[in-house]
Amino acid sequence: MKEIVFKNKKVRYRSEGKGKHVILLHGFAEDGRLWDHQVKELKQHFHFIIPDIPGSGSSEMLNGKVPLALYADAVKAIADAEIKKGPKTFTLIGHSMGGYISMAFAEKYPELLNGLGLFHSTSYADDEQKKEIRNKGIDFIKKNGAASFLKNTVQNLFSEKSKNEKPGLIEKLLNLSKDFSSAALIQYYRAMRDRPDRSSVLQKFQQPVLFIQGMHDNAVPLNSGLAQSHLPGICFFKVLNDSGHMGMWEEETEATAYMKHFLMNI
């Protein structure tokens, strides 16, 4: 693990592989270990930078109300520290909340990106129904704690096929998230709830954009991905037929192969 200091907090990340730079952002209640399979399989082709987003994994939580754009600034600070030779551009791929942060980054620093990836994610803002779900989630965390909240929600991130054939994935994700504080989860939920619509960012973005969607994703339905796929000028779109919201685990071979295909075409 490497480390930077951002807003007086320690933010840690891994750096593995050689080649074109790729930053991978995990999602809500995850950390950089989410991408272990993809990094292992592809690090001979690419230089991966894998942060623990502030408040996750081994990175300290930021103070106060934190918009997604501030997490994007933390990603830029990591890129500035890690990419010191050659072109400063890189590809940014985010899962779920990591995709929301990626969109905020693309809005602020488009000149640094040679590609953008949304893995089970969207450029759209939460609608009113989703905001209400976030608010209820915050209330539940306050009342019952992070562990109870995650135990009740994690299983819904997987398809029925995954739950039946790969039940260990649920326990794997629960283990990944077992040390999260209630404060960090609430901070993330508020940031996601309050994020603006950034679909116009995709329309303006001049570089290739990757969408990987799960056929059975309840968190980011397939229709949401299809609706935004026409926005960027250059689009790579992949549907994982047996996946819910965790395709990098549920169909890790197919997801990794398509990620490689996208990155090779940058």
Side-chain angles (χ1 to χ4, degrees):
M1 297 294 287
K2 296 185 177 182
E3 180 181 296
I4 64 165
V5 176
F6 178 78
K7 300 294 183 182
N8 297 316
K9 299 294 183 179
K10 295 177 181 178
V11 180
R12 297 191 172 98
Y13 66 95
R14 287 184 288 143
S15 176
E16 295 192 40
K18 296 180 180 179
K20 293 184 288 187
H21 308 299
V22 182
I23 296 183
L24 300 176
L25 299 182
H26 63 82
F28 174 82
E30 302 162 355
D31 62 37
R33 291 174 292 173
L34 174 81
W35 302 105
D36 280 356
H37 179 79
Q38 287 72 38
V39 172
K40 178 183 177 182
E41 293 298 314
L42 301 180
K43 65 182 180 181
Q44 66 270 32
H45 302 290
F46 309 102
H47 170 217
F48 288 108
I49 303 166
I50 315 107
D52 286 348
I53 294 167
S56 299
S58 59
S59 292
E60 295 179 334
M61 180 181 164
L62 301 178
N63 293 325
K65 183 178 179 181
V66 180
L68 293 176
L70 191 58
Y71 295 121
D73 290 341
V75 174
K76 183 178 184 297
I78 290 171
D80 290 343
E82 184 64 21
I83 304 174
K84 298 178 179 178
K85 296 181 180 179
K88 296 290 186 180
T89 56
F90 56 89
T91 307
L92 182 60
I93 297 175
H95 173 242
S96 194
M97 184 184 79
Y100 307 155
I101 296 170
S102 298
M103 289 303 309
F105 190 101
E107 183 176 54
K108 294 189 76 172
Y109 310 109
E111 71 282 357
L112 295 179
L113 297 179
N114 56 29
L116 177 66
L118 299 181
F119 219 116
H120 303 300
S121 193
T122 179
S123 64
Y124 299 132
D126 281 356
D127 59 21
E128 291 306 313
Q129 181 180 10
K130 188 72 172 183
K131 288 180 180 179
E132 183 59 27
I133 292 172
R134 303 272 194 212
N135 289 331
K136 289 180 179 179
I138 290 169
D139 291 340
F140 186 96
I141 295 168
K142 288 179 178 178
K143 182 177 180 180
N144 301 286
S148 294
F149 173 78
L150 293 171
K151 186 176 181 180
N152 279 297
T153 58
V154 158
Q155 61 181 330
N156 297 323
L157 300 178
F158 297 92
S159 69
E160 288 301 317
K161 182 174 183 179
S162 294
K163 286 188 279 190
N164 291 330
E165 298 182 5
K166 303 174 183 178
L169 292 180
I170 295 174
E171 189 62 33
K172 180 180 177 182
L173 185 53
L174 283 171
N175 186 61
L176 200 70
S177 63
K178 63 183 176 63
D179 294 325
F180 271 90
S181 69
S182 295
L185 296 186
I186 290 171
Q187 187 180 78
Y188 294 152
Y189 247 33
R190 286 172 173 163
M192 292 189 288
R193 179 196 65 193
D194 298 338
R195 74 186 190 278
D197 183 293
R198 289 191 167 98
S199 55
S200 63
V201 177
L202 287 181
Q203 290 177 308
K204 298 173 185 176
F205 195 67
Q206 300 297 310
Q207 306 301 328
V209 178
L210 166 70
F211 299 93
I212 294 185
Q213 301 282 151
M215 179 69 77
H216 309 284
D217 191 343
N218 295 317
V220 182
L222 178 60
N223 286 343
S224 175
L226 290 171
Q228 64 186 330
S229 64
H230 70 282
L231 296 176
I234 307 171
C235 173
F236 289 70
F237 197 94
K238 176 67 175 177
V239 177
L240 299 174
N241 291 321
D242 295 327
S243 291
H245 194 63
M246 300 296 295
M248 70 289 296
W249 287 3
E250 295 176 89
E251 294 179 77
E252 61 182 13
T253 299
E254 191 168 357
T256 304
Y258 199 76
M259 182 189 290
K260 179 182 177 180
H261 169 70
F262 170 70
L263 292 172
M264 286 292 191
N265 279 278
I266 294 292

